[in-house]
Amino acid sequence: MRIQLLSSLFLFSLGSYLYRVSSQPEHASFPPRGWNSYDSFCWIISEEDFLQSAGIISQRLKPYGYEYAVVDYLWYRKNVPGAYPDSLGFDVIDEWGRMIPDPDRWPSSKDGKGFTEVAKKVHSMGLKFGIHVMRGLSRQAYDANTLILDTTTGGAYEESGRQWRAKDIGIKERACAWMSHGFMSVNTKLGAGRAFLRSLYEQYAEWGVDFVKHDCVFGDDLDVDEITFVSEVLQKLNRPILYSLSPGTSATPNMAKDISGLVNMYRVTGDDWDTWGDVAAHFDVSRDFAAANKIGAKGLLGRSWPDLDMLPLGWLTDPGSNRGPYRMSNLNLDEQKTQMTLWAMARSPLMFGGDVRKLDEITYSLITNPFILEINSFSTNNMEFPYVTGTKGSTHKTTAYSQRSRRCLKEVGKSHAQFLGFTSCNHPKVNGWSIEALDQDLDQICWKQNMGSHEPLCLYKQKPLLSSDERLIYNQGELHLLASHGMEFCLDASPRKKRTSKEFKSGSFSPCRSDANQMWEISNNGSLISSYSGLCATVKSIDANVGNSGGVRSWIATGRKGEIYVALFNLNSEKTVISAKISDLTKALPGKNLNATSCYSREVWSGKDFGEIKDSISMEVEIHGCALFVLNCP
């Protein structure tokens, strides 16, 4: 009965919230919520499947705030033999090199209508319509050397007495690292480059798009220039469009300083799929962005939110596949509850990824849980709470934490590892690289900062070897970095495939090639700069047994009526009793005086009412599970 009452109260509050959002210009006042097609359809979704899904979202999920229906990537690619995520030559483009929906999959797009008819139908259901787009210019448009549209005249862009084309603005050496045959950056310093990007987003507005997920421009693939200009264009449109960035591999709070005010949500991890490793990989990064006060910070015409990625629950497909939904999520129920709880406590956008046409009651109850949605929308003071203990069997253990970087270069012994990460070059700790001459023809570039007694991490320096007909022009100081002398494997700045959040140790080296993804410059102040993203490389040195997916974690937040939410997470591979003292809550919530105070406690997932408690909360938590307490402390 109490849950039913809260559900009714939540729906009432949500209705008021939606009214406020619709009557005020602020974007993303609360973490956006909706459905995205990627986890269930990958790239092959059709208009029929999408509109059927939107109808179900409108009926079953919209009352709980799920208001966006988003088509994920490659809606312009023909679904024919030979087409796959990084294939070339299968995309549908217009005369100006802009992507338009594949008319075989999206029949209402014929005769130049684009997504106009789909958007109208989605809007008629009371929903908002979103699409996924890639960085810059498509390789297909570049090869065709299409003209650039000037939307102010309706004709080809002209400057300096000539018409401008795709090859004038495309930066071929800055192709998206994990979709190198797909898209490349454009030169935003050129008027033609800006005109091309403007023509894209003005077309999306004309179609009736409400949400844009912009891919391959953040994290390892950071392109601040494109993000900045797109944000400027969106501010000037005659309809509001929510601006989202993806993915966030190697993203850091320091990196987010440059873009959080330009967007409304931005991924802070690699792709999240239905493995426990992916779920566990989100604890450190969500902690760090919360500690940096990025949750609900100022964003594009409103607020911005660190995004932990879609929820791969229910009926799914596989990443990068050419098939639709065919299997259930591999996460067990306890792991799914952990994911929902962390996403709620971190106030991440909630984008459901499962096939809503086969939405089972267990999944439905998880993604519409009234406590989860209340916390996600309205809680404050959200942060990791380190003052907890975990007891496994007869062993009493206090949790320890360590931030883990994204990419392992090499292991040193059995208990030590070095990890490469990327961050803004404005960060004070990027100047740890130095050059050492080994002989007349061979130099090493080594990281020596904060290595203690461990050996420095060193890479071998080599000037890029370009063929005589190489069209790329490099700066004089650019170089390749090799794993070892004599090997033809060079350090990549970005992965050559979409990574999941778990894939910290994926190889950072691949055969040497002449593209910006493998080009580096070392500055006089000791920073190592990627020519691909403009980010600087850093190295972290940590013990191999610290920062793994074990241990216990906890988050805390306050509710809008003064209640306190405490989430206890068991990342161990065995049941663990997790405890927190009531008096320790004041360490995270200094405005609360809880000394000698009794609280009334209820645990959400079990539904158990603990009544009055005076000293501590404690519960045996299942493997990879969690407990979510609601405390009312008069």
Side-chain angles (χ1 to χ4, degrees), residues 258-475:
D258 297 326
I259 61 90
S260 62
L262 304 173
V263 303
N264 301 114
M265 52 187 277
Y266 52 97
R267 283 268 300 283
V268 294
T269 67
D271 282 2
D272 174 65
W273 276 90
D274 53 326
T275 70
W276 171 244
D278 273 12
V279 176
H282 287 76
F283 279 88
D284 283 354
V285 69
S286 57
R287 172 201 63 199
D288 295 342
F289 277 83
N293 296 316
K294 290 300 178 184
I295 298 176
K298 181 181 178 181
L300 172 62
L301 300 176
R303 299 189 186 187
S304 64
W305 306 90
D307 177 15
L308 300 184
D309 201 11
M310 293 169 287
L311 298 163
L313 309 178
W315 200 245
L316 306 173
T317 186
D318 296 321
S321 69
N322 282 22
R323 67 185 300 183
Y326 74 96
R327 64 177 179 86
M328 284 297 292
S329 174
N330 289 316
L331 297 173
N332 64 39
L333 184 56
D334 289 308
E335 293 167 343
Q336 293 180 44
K337 290 176 180 177
T338 290
Q339 181 165 36
M340 289 300 304
T341 304
L342 178 62
W343 266 235
M345 295 295 286
R347 299 196 73 190
S348 169
L350 297 181
M351 291 289 174
F352 179 55
D355 185 357
V356 292
R357 302 170 307 172
K358 297 188 67 173
L359 183 55
D360 61 282
E361 287 304 315
I362 292 177
T363 302
Y364 185 63
S365 67
L366 285 173
I367 65 176
T368 62
N369 181 283
F371 289 97
I372 289 294
L373 300 184
E374 171 74 16
I375 294 169
N376 182 251
S377 288
F378 302 112
S379 61
T380 55
N381 301 313
N382 306 68
M383 68 188 80
E384 189 174 73
F385 178 67
Y387 307 104
V388 293
T389 59
T391 304
K392 299 186 293 183
S394 59
T395 303
H396 190 268
K397 176 183 177 182
T398 300
T399 306
Y401 305 101
S402 175
Q403 181 177 355
R404 181 168 179 161
S405 198
R406 291 268 175 210
R407 189 174 295 137
C408 181
L409 292 182
K410 67 177 184 177
E411 292 189 359
V412 183
K414 294 182 178 180
S415 60
H416 189 75
Q418 295 167 335
F419 292 87
L420 176 70
F422 297 94
T423 190
S424 167
C425 292
N426 295 324
H427 195 281
K429 296 182 180 180
V430 298
N431 305 324
W433 297 94
S434 61
I435 298 179
E436 295 183 359
L438 299 182
D439 56 41
Q440 185 175 355
D441 300 316
L442 185 63
D443 291 341
Q444 275 187 332
I445 295 179
C446 299
W447 177 273
K448 292 187 174 182
Q449 183 172 286
N450 298 325
M451 295 301 293
S453 60
H454 300 290
E455 294 182 5
L457 185 145
C458 294
L459 302 166
Y460 290 82
K461 170 184 163 184
Q462 172 181 292
K463 290 184 179 180
L465 301 176
L466 305 181
S467 60
S468 59
D469 61 348
E470 180 62 57
R471 300 180 66 250
L472 308 181
I473 300 175
Y474 295 101
N475 295 327

Side-chain angles (χ1 to χ4, degrees), residues 81-157:
Y84 58 93
D86 195 27
S87 57
L88 177 62
F90 295 93
D91 295 340
V92 183
I93 61 175
D94 67 9
E95 62 180 310
W96 308 109
R98 301 178 298 181
M99 316 311 296
I100 55 177
D102 169 26
D104 291 333
R105 288 196 287 147
W106 304 89
S108 71
S109 69
K110 294 177 181 177
D111 301 322
K113 294 181 180 178
F115 274 127
T116 302
E117 296 303 315
V118 171
K120 287 180 180 178
K121 291 178 181 179
V122 171
H123 293 156
S124 71
M125 300 174 190
L127 300 174
K128 296 178 181 179
F129 175 60
I131 60 173
H132 173 288
V133 300
M134 292 292 296
R135 78 187 308 167
L137 175 76
S138 76
R139 170 72 179 275
Q140 194 165 318
Y142 181 92
D143 290 345
N145 203 21
T146 54
L147 288 167
I148 305 302
L149 173 64
D150 184 345
T151 58
T152 63
T153 67
Y157 182 85

